[in-house]
Amino acid sequence: MQDIFLSVAIIIVIASFVSLYRGIEGPGIFNRIIAVNVIGTKTIVLLVLIGFIYERPDFFDIALVYAILNFIMTIAATRY
Amino acid sequence: MFDSIIIIIVVLLLLIGLFFMLAGTIGFVRFPDFYSRMHATGKCDTLGEGLMLFALIIYETGYEGLFKGDLEHASFVSIKIILLILFILLANPTSTHAIAKAAHDVGLQPWKKTDETQWIYDQDLGTDEVMNGGEIK
């Protein structure tokens, strides 16, 4: 079961690198904001998967805080 | 028996969530315009993430909790992940709406399907960058 979680986590990392391309290359500031949002969304799932792989429940707290930070960052960046 | 059924359900849900997440990523890279990119990411990310976290809840309560008998720890972890799913289902559409409203207020025009000559004409005039790029002047 750990191997399945590990392979899913590796695929998510590859997908977040693919969407990092749009964050670097993509024209305009809005594409970059939404790229950061997408990578943050993938990172939340990645943190929960890491918590399951190493069997440490501390990572779920980090994932919750990361979700709140991601939401606040997006709202602040669109309000300025 | 009970063990393998739960693992099959968990792997199936994880694969469906992974499919939605990859579809959102491909749409985010390949779509021609900011609004359509946001259409791809906003839906697929929320759904993929919800399904994958739901699969992890089933794994935790079913496999670790009921099968191995550590129910207290399993319910503690599951409540945290349920809170995470609820927060994401609230926050992710809100942030998508906020980005779309900010782009609309700035004056970013949606992409229209033009024929070949019109496309070249726009590129020659240099308005293509303004229409599709969304650089704020």
Side-chain angles (χ1 to χ4, degrees):
Chain A
M1 206 59 202
Q2 311 272 323
D3 299 336
I4 298 170
F5 287 154
L6 191 61
S7 48
V8 169
I10 288 172
I11 295 174
I12 289 177
V13 169
I14 292 171
S16 67
F17 269 106
V18 169
S19 56
L20 185 65
Y21 163 75
R22 185 56 76 188
I24 294 171
E25 191 75 18
I29 189 169
F30 288 111
N31 283 316
R32 296 196 172 100
I33 291 175
I34 206 167
V36 171
N37 197 6
V38 166
I39 292 173
T41 310
K42 287 181 180 30
T43 310
I44 296 165
V45 181
L46 197 63
L47 279 173
V48 177
L49 279 173
I50 287 172
F52 270 98
I53 288 169
Y54 292 113
E55 292 177 343
R56 288 173 62 185
D58 314 335
F59 279 94
F60 305 136
D61 298 334
I62 303 175
L64 256 172
V65 173
Y66 202 85
I68 296 170
L69 269 181
N70 195 17
F71 175 61
I72 291 174
M73 186 276 305
T74 309
I75 295 296
T78 53
R79 281 292 159 189
Y80 97 97
Chain B
M1 185 63 193
F2 181 67
D3 183 19
S4 57
I5 287 176
I6 281 184
I7 284 184
I8 286 172
I9 292 174
V10 166
V11 170
L12 210 62
L13 280 177
L14 272 179
L15 284 184
I16 295 172
L18 202 63
F19 167 72
F20 276 108
M21 205 165 255
L22 285 179
T25 306
I26 291 171
F28 181 54
V29 175
R30 288 293 299 163
F31 273 171
D33 167 59
F34 167 70
Y35 292 106
S36 50
R37 273 172 208 152
M38 207 161 50
H39 162 77
T41 60
K43 280 199 258 295
C44 293
D45 252 1
T46 310
L47 189 54
E49 181 158 358
L51 279 176
M52 290 174 80
L53 292 182
F54 187 62
L56 292 177
I57 286 176
I58 290 177
Y59 174 73
E60 184 66 34
T61 54
Y63 187 73
E64 301 275 342
L66 293 178
F67 189 68
K68 287 187 176 173
D70 193 6
L71 200 56
E72 188 176 351
H73 175 74
S75 60
F76 186 62
V77 169
S78 300
I79 285 173
K80 270 183 195 171
I81 304 179
I82 286 172
L83 280 180
L84 198 57
I85 289 180
L86 283 182
F87 181 76
I88 283 163
L89 284 184
L90 277 177
N92 219 342
T94 311
S95 57
T96 307
H97 175 78
I99 297 171
K101 192 171 182 304
H104 185 72
D105 287 345
V106 163
L108 197 62
Q109 293 294 318
W111 178 73
K112 285 191 177 61
K113 195 170 186 179
T114 52
D115 53 354
E116 200 72 25
T117 56
Q118 182 68 33
W119 185 250
I120 293 170
Y121 179 69
D122 281 345
Q123 275 182 346
D124 283 343
L125 275 184
T127 56
D128 180 52
E129 185 69 24
V130 180
M131 281 182 67
N132 285 324
E135 296 285 347
I136 300 172
K137 297 294 178 185

